[in-house]
Amino acid sequence: MINKLVSSAKEAVSDIFDGATIMISGFGEAGSPIELIHALIDQGAKELTIVSNNTGSGEVGLAALIAHKRVNKMICSFPRTANSTVFPELYQKGEIELELVPQGTLAERIRAGGAGIPAFFTPTSVGTPLAQGKESREFDNTTYVMEKAIKADFAFVKAKSADRYGNLIYNKTARNFGPIMCTAAKTTIVQVQNFVELGDLDPECIVTPGIFVQRVMLVENPADESRLIAENRRYPW
Amino acid sequence: MINKLVSSAKEAVSDIFDGATIMISGFGEAGSPIELIHALIDQGAKELTIVSNNTGSGEVGLAALIAHKRVNKMICSFPRTANSTVFPELYQKGEIELELVPQGTLAERIRAGGAGIPAFFTPTSVGTPLAQGKESREFDNTTYVMEKAIKADFAFVKAKSADRYGNLIYNKTARNFGPIMCTAAKTTIVQVQNFVELGDLDPECIVTPGIFVQRVMLVENPADESRLIAENRRYPW
Amino acid sequence: MVEKTGVKGWSTDEMAQKVAFDIPDGAYVNLGIGIPELVAGLVPEGREVIYHTENGLLGMGNSPEKGKEDPELINAGKKAVTAIPGASYFHHADSFTMIRGKHIDVCVLGALQVAENGDLANWSTGEAGAIPAVGGAMDLVAGVKTIYVITRHTTKTGESKIVKQCSYPLTGKGVVNRIYTNLAIIDITKEGLFVKEMAPGVSFSYLQTQTEALLNQ
Amino acid sequence: MVEKTGVKGWSTDEMAQKVAFDIPDGAYVNLGIGIPELVAGLVPEGREVIYHTENGLLGMGNSPEKGKEDPELINAGKKAVTAIPGASYFHHADSFTMIRGKHIDVCVLGALQVAENGDLANWSTGEAGAIPAVGGAMDLVAGVKTIYVITRHTTKTGESKIVKQCSYPLTGKGVVNRIYTNLAIIDITKEGLFVKEMAPGVSFSYLQTQTEALLNQ
């Protein structure tokens, strides 16, 4: 029988290894799987490459993972956000590597990774410093740069509801990078607020079919990141 | 005010010009916008390039358009289906051109056309006759072929419901090529069974956001292709 | 020649049963049109297998009851199907993301020819005037993790379908992992073809006489 | 220098109103973070404009009432927003399909510098040690059909933001169609910069003194 529900956060992240590449969903706090990230901090894997749009805020979630020096390299589009101090400090000290990728190129590279497309051409970044060193090419008299797929060992994703097959639906703009990250990782681990019976999710409305999900973890009351930051909380507490 | 509903099939297809490239949704009869195709037969545009997975069956819908010698070229993955005689006959006489594309490559080329990606690499067809003449390249010791985007002047799509913004939902496996074709045409024309109020479609379940749709035509009782074929019907009747 | 010697080997159902036995619990499976479709009905009890059909459905169920067919719920062979609880619908680009992106575990396909290096020809005999039609076959063999071929061992005129080199246009190069015929189950490895199992009454030497490519035991 | 001469030109709201006036009925629009966001509130009555935010919402509405903010319903600036009837949610790859695929009609962005050939610099001053952050700006300028820049005409220290050549790292090459400043509205064409409208009290010769690039009337 297929049942992708795991019983604890500890179990969900137990096999993450040093040096792994992990995609983490979220745009700011919307869709950020904080509880999974905290479980990873507890688990201890280090020298990680993290693919995520931002670098976290305050000292919880992704920012806490970075603060604990578990991350060697960030691949992201916007490492500078309100209340984001952990990454900037380490970056200025030269203690963390940054691969800056335009947001749409980041999304497309992840989607390509999940879709078996090793590389594609895009008009984004042509003529800018972010195209430097990249192959460029003309199609129909317009110049494009070649960008390569990104794949990951693991993806951490936050969704709204799942069933035992791993089918997912999301909540509003917390969807963001979740669906494409699910497709691009060898092992996709999803935290959801609701675990429902098979058939409860409308097959016309499932956003991520279960084939892209390996593990589901139930977090009925996920942390409110803004509140944690307002309260100056740090993980581990 | 935005209202993409047009009042007749005639109006929906009135500006289609000779030599246009038209994408037509459907996998077999599921999702095939027969009424739009029939309106196009009445309208008279010719020398068309049609992008569609199949070539139609019997002498209705796409097969009827081909039978009326309106199509110069088919871009498709499977031009041979049950009850498909019109295309094979013209093809064997050398009266219609065929660009045969693997189904997944066809889908990805259309998706690329809609997403502003001019070209991409795929493992599909490597080492086969369909890769001949195409650029190939290695990434991580695997060979891929480069495939180019397909765009169209028009797309004809069948969906289940639309609102005045052109937001769409589909029905079961009739979804198939519809959503990607909507993105890849300058003018996307959709026939739907239901026209609903703004807000009636759940924003979490909309498959095609209205930005990809220019015209909506209401066909409350679309033809059942299989029945038409069983009855030996031919369009125009 | 199969007819002449009287060795029939496994029936089509038995071949499909052999394939079905090799599909693990929890697998995501795409079944080609025709004989491969028989596999779904023969998976051993206790295993939960999820079927993908490339026209946009994961969680394909059995054929509907007569009179309950829905022309908008069909499989890749354009036959009416059903959807199981837990199924999902999606568009073609997402469907081939599942295929090309190596998310599907097993694909079972028919063949015109399989070569000893795993090359598969199953979409065209290359005859002049024939209408070429490839569908999703090239995507499936390029993208699915494990490719099983189910086919009679020889053609109707007695020629081996397991060949040194395919003479028909290829579907994919070096893509087939295992062949299930009426006479044997044969693994394709980098070291060549290895016979895994033979049908009752089939000897290795007989099997080799029916096979153009070199077999290993 | 603007301060010294006493010519202030349009207020920020007036600049945003000028932009808003140029957004046609039925347009799909992406507004950058900051001053561009003002545009939404100033579109003339009777026009229906649909706002896209690249983090996955088409049909973004006004700010929510205090206390009704939803941390999972935000815009690209990470501020709480609402969704209008007819809105839809989608993932990031689909969102940038709208952008890169030239489906969005108008994007309004701020600028550090705009060059006379339409080059835009708005993401980095290139200072050593600064944390580079690009977000979706490069995708927007590469993909949206019409790019409007809204910016003060000069920097706080009086330097022209409309330059012969950008000294800051580029966001995109030849991408800007029109600039709205506190002093003027300027079109960027292949033949150079053309002043479309000047703020009250601004003369062409004065405008040119405030502008590094050559202006045409």
Side-chain angles (χ1 to χ4, degrees):
Chain A
M1 197 181 95
I2 300 170
N3 189 358
K4 297 183 181 177
L5 187 69
V6 293
S7 56
S8 70
K10 192 176 166 185
E11 184 188 339
V13 302
S14 61
D15 56 348
I16 295 180
F17 49 87
D18 292 353
T21 294
I22 308 178
M23 294 180 173
I24 300 183
S25 70
F27 184 89
E29 70 180 295
S32 181
I34 297 187
E35 283 72 13
L36 281 174
I37 301 168
H38 289 172
L40 178 61
I41 292 173
D42 298 345
Q43 189 259 13
K46 57 186 189 299
E47 295 166 16
L48 304 170
T49 294
I50 301 292
V51 183
S52 193
N53 191 60
N54 306 106
T55 58
S57 297
E59 290 197 39
V60 296
L62 177 53
L65 185 73
I66 295 169
H68 283 78
K69 310 263 180 102
R70 303 292 175 72
V71 182
N72 279 7
K73 180 178 177 181
M74 281 295 318
I75 301 177
C76 71
S77 90
F78 208 80
R80 204 175 59 201
T81 21
N83 303 309
S84 172
T85 54
V86 168
F87 177 85
E89 279 172 25
L90 287 177
Y91 179 75
Q92 274 157 339
K93 286 195 265 180
E95 293 182 5
I96 191 166
E97 195 184 336
L98 170 64
E99 180 179 341
L100 189 71
V101 183
Q103 198 171 129
T105 299
L106 183 64
E108 191 68 9
R109 289 177 65 191
I110 294 166
R111 192 241 168 221
I117 302 295
F120 59 89
F121 292 91
T122 174
T124 300
S125 92
V126 170
T128 79
L130 296 191
Q132 273 167 23
K134 286 177 184 161
E135 182 175 330
S136 73
R137 182 153 171 167
E138 291 206 355
F139 295 94
D140 292 331
N141 299 315
T142 303
T143 306
Y144 298 85
V145 294
M146 191 174 84
E147 294 280 357
K148 291 188 184 170
I150 307 179
K151 292 202 261 189
D153 299 302
F154 298 91
F156 285 7
V157 169
K158 185 184 184 186
K160 183 179 179 185
S161 303
D163 60 25
R164 68 178 174 87
Y165 283 178
N167 291 309
L168 305 179
I169 60 169
Y170 297 82
N171 185 40
K172 303 189 180 83
T173 58
R175 188 184 302 196
N176 59 68
F177 284 89
I180 50 176
M181 286 181 170
C182 285
T183 71
K186 282 196 206 91
T187 302
T188 291
I189 309 169
V190 185
Q191 70 169 69
V192 295
Q193 284 186 262
N194 311 290
F195 189 75
V196 302
E197 290 295 312
L198 220 53
D200 282 358
L201 301 177
D202 181 347
E204 299 281 8
C205 298
I206 288 170
V207 175
T208 293
I211 192 170
F212 297 123
V213 173
Q214 280 68 48
R215 295 175 200 159
V216 173
M217 187 182 94
L218 186 61
V219 180
E220 282 173 299
N221 296 299
D224 177 335
E225 187 178 296
S226 296
R227 185 183 298 176
L228 294 178
I229 292 166
E231 293 169 356
N232 276 313
R233 298 288 296 277
R234 288 180 186 193
Y235 193 82
W237 16 80
Chain B
M1 196 181 95
I2 299 169
N3 188 358
K4 298 183 179 177
L5 188 68
V6 294
S7 56
S8 69
K10 192 176 166 182
E11 184 188 339
V13 302
S14 62
D15 57 349
I16 295 179
F17 48 87
D18 293 352
T21 294
I22 308 177
M23 292 179 175
I24 300 183
S25 70
F27 184 90
E29 70 181 293
S32 181
I34 296 188
E35 282 73 12
L36 281 175
I37 301 169
H38 290 171
L40 177 62
I41 292 174
D42 297 347
Q43 189 259 14
K46 56 186 189 298
E47 294 167 16
L48 304 169
T49 294
I50 301 293
V51 182
S52 194
N53 190 61
N54 305 105
T55 58
S57 297
E59 289 197 39
V60 295
L62 178 53
L65 186 73
I66 295 169
H68 284 78
K69 308 262 178 103
R70 303 289 175 73
V71 182
N72 280 7
K73 181 179 176 179
M74 281 297 316
I75 301 177
C76 70
S77 90
F78 209 81
R80 202 174 61 201
T81 22
N83 302 310
S84 172
T85 53
V86 168
F87 176 85
E89 278 173 25
L90 287 176
Y91 180 75
Q92 274 158 338
K93 284 194 267 179
E95 292 180 9
I96 190 165
E97 196 185 334
L98 169 65
E99 180 179 341
L100 189 71
V101 183
Q103 199 172 126
T105 298
L106 183 64
E108 191 67 10
R109 290 177 65 191
I110 294 166
R111 191 246 168 215
I117 302 295
F120 60 88
F121 292 91
T122 174
T124 300
S125 90
V126 169
T128 79
L130 297 191
Q132 273 168 23
K134 286 178 184 160
E135 182 175 330
S136 73
R137 181 153 170 165
E138 290 207 354
F139 295 94
D140 292 330
N141 299 315
T142 303
T143 307
Y144 298 85
V145 295
M146 192 174 82
E147 293 281 355
K148 291 188 182 169
I150 307 179
K151 292 202 260 192
D153 299 301
F154 298 91
F156 285 8
V157 169
K158 184 184 185 186
K160 183 179 177 184
S161 303
D163 60 26
R164 69 179 173 86
Y165 283 178
N167 291 310
L168 306 179
I169 59 168
Y170 297 82
N171 185 40
K172 305 191 180 83
T173 57
R175 185 183 303 196
N176 58 70
F177 283 89
I180 50 176
M181 286 181 170
C182 284
T183 71
K186 283 197 203 89
T187 302
T188 291
I189 310 168
V190 184
Q191 70 168 68
V192 295
Q193 282 185 264
N194 312 290
F195 188 75
V196 302
E197 290 296 313
L198 222 52
D200 281 358
L201 301 176
D202 181 347
E204 299 281 8
C205 299
I206 288 170
V207 175
T208 294
I211 193 170
F212 298 123
V213 173
Q214 281 68 48
R215 295 172 200 161
V216 172
M217 187 182 96
L218 186 61
V219 181
E220 284 173 299
N221 296 300
D224 176 334
E225 187 178 296
S226 295
R227 187 185 295 176
L228 295 178
I229 292 166
E231 293 168 356
N232 275 313
R233 299 287 296 278
R234 287 179 188 196
Y235 192 83
W237 16 79
Chain C
M1 318 215 191
V2 172
E3 312 315 317
K4 280 186 197 154
T5 64
V7 179
K8 288 190 175 161
W10 289 310
S11 68
T12 303
D13 268 357
E14 284 168 329
M15 286 158 62
Q17 194 145 34
K18 293 286 177 185
V19 176
F21 188 79
D22 290 345
I23 294 179
D25 187 29
Y28 291 93
V29 176
N30 183 297
L31 300 176
I33 300 168
I35 295 174
E37 292 179 62
L38 295 175
V39 171
L42 297 166
V43 170
E45 228 171 304
R47 294 189 202 169
E48 196 170 13
V49 172
I50 297 185
Y51 296 98
H52 170 263
T53 180
E54 60 263 34
N55 55 314
L57 168 60
L58 187 69
M60 179 171 63
N62 296 329
S63 301
E65 287 172 51
K66 196 126 199 183
K68 296 211 169 167
E69 297 88 352
D70 178 346
E72 299 202 318
L73 178 46
I74 59 173
N75 68 9
K78 283 147 191 148
K79 280 196 286 202
V81 295
T82 55
I84 63 169
S88 54
Y89 299 106
F90 34 82
H91 62 58
H92 250 80
D94 283 348
S95 186
F96 282 81
T97 284
M98 296 179 190
I99 292 172
R100 200 189 309 99
K102 298 206 179 288
H103 303 283
I104 310 248
D105 297 302
V106 178
C107 178
V108 185
L109 288 166
L112 294 167
Q113 292 176 326
V114 183
E116 58 191 14
N117 65 354
D119 288 2
L120 173 68
N122 80 342
W123 70 284
S124 166
T125 56
E127 269 174 68
I131 312 298
V134 67
M138 286 187 183
D139 306 281
L140 285 162
V141 300
V144 173
K145 289 177 206 164
T146 301
I147 303 291
Y148 290 159
V149 159
I150 183 167
T151 177
R152 290 196 65 80
H153 204 86
T154 55
T155 66
K156 282 179 190 161
T157 53
E159 279 146 295
S160 174
K161 291 179 127 190
I162 304 171
V163 295
K164 289 184 177 156
Q165 207 175 356
C166 294
S167 59
Y168 295 143
L170 293 188
T171 309
K173 278 194 79 65
V175 294
V176 178
N177 300 96
R178 188 176 285 171
I179 315 167
Y180 298 79
T181 78
N182 53 314
L183 300 184
I185 301 173
I186 300 166
D187 278 333
I188 300 183
T189 75
K190 282 182 185 165
E191 287 72 40
L193 300 177
F194 285 80
V195 178
K196 191 177 178 292
E197 192 179 337
M198 288 180 285
V202 176
S203 66
F204 181 77
S205 60
Y206 173 72
L207 189 66
Q208 184 64 76
T209 66
Q210 301 298 304
T211 312
E212 183 193 302
L214 184 72
L215 299 175
N216 299 282
Q217 228 164 346
Chain D
M1 317 212 193
V2 171
E3 312 315 317
K4 283 184 196 154
T5 64
V7 179
K8 288 195 175 156
W10 290 309
S11 68
T12 303
D13 268 356
E14 285 168 328
M15 287 158 63
Q17 196 146 36
K18 293 285 178 188
V19 176
F21 188 79
D22 290 346
I23 293 178
D25 187 29
Y28 291 93
V29 176
N30 183 297
L31 300 175
I33 299 168
I35 295 174
E37 292 179 62
L38 296 174
V39 171
L42 297 165
V43 169
E45 229 171 304
R47 294 190 201 168
E48 196 169 14
V49 172
I50 296 185
Y51 297 100
H52 172 262
T53 179
E54 60 265 33
N55 55 316
L57 168 61
L58 187 70
M60 179 172 62
N62 297 330
S63 300
E65 287 172 49
K66 195 124 198 184
K68 295 210 170 169
E69 297 89 353
D70 178 346
E72 300 203 317
L73 178 47
I74 60 174
N75 68 9
K78 285 149 192 144
K79 281 196 287 205
V81 295
T82 54
I84 64 169
S88 54
Y89 299 106
F90 33 82
H91 63 59
H92 251 80
D94 283 349
S95 186
F96 282 82
T97 284
M98 295 180 190
I99 293 172
R100 200 189 309 101
K102 297 204 177 290
H103 303 283
I104 311 250
D105 298 302
V106 178
C107 178
V108 185
L109 288 166
L112 294 167
Q113 292 176 325
V114 183
E116 57 191 14
N117 64 354
D119 288 0
L120 173 67
N122 81 341
W123 69 285
S124 166
T125 57
E127 270 173 68
I131 314 296
V134 68
M138 287 188 183
D139 306 283
L140 285 162
V141 301
V144 174
K145 289 177 204 162
T146 301
I147 303 291
Y148 290 158
V149 159
I150 183 166
T151 177
R152 290 195 66 80
H153 204 87
T154 54
T155 66
K156 282 177 190 163
T157 56
E159 281 145 295
S160 174
K161 292 180 126 191
I162 303 171
V163 295
K164 288 185 178 155
Q165 206 174 357
C166 294
S167 59
Y168 295 144
L170 294 188
T171 309
K173 278 195 79 65
V175 294
V176 178
N177 299 98
R178 187 175 287 170
I179 315 168
Y180 299 78
T181 79
N182 52 315
L183 300 183
I185 301 172
I186 300 167
D187 278 333
I188 301 182
T189 75
K190 281 182 187 166
E191 288 72 40
L193 300 177
F194 284 82
V195 177
K196 192 178 177 295
E197 192 179 338
M198 288 179 287
V202 176
S203 67
F204 182 77
S205 60
Y206 173 72
L207 189 66
Q208 183 65 77
T209 66
Q210 300 299 303
T211 312
E212 182 194 303
L214 184 74
L215 299 174
N216 300 282
Q217 230 165 344

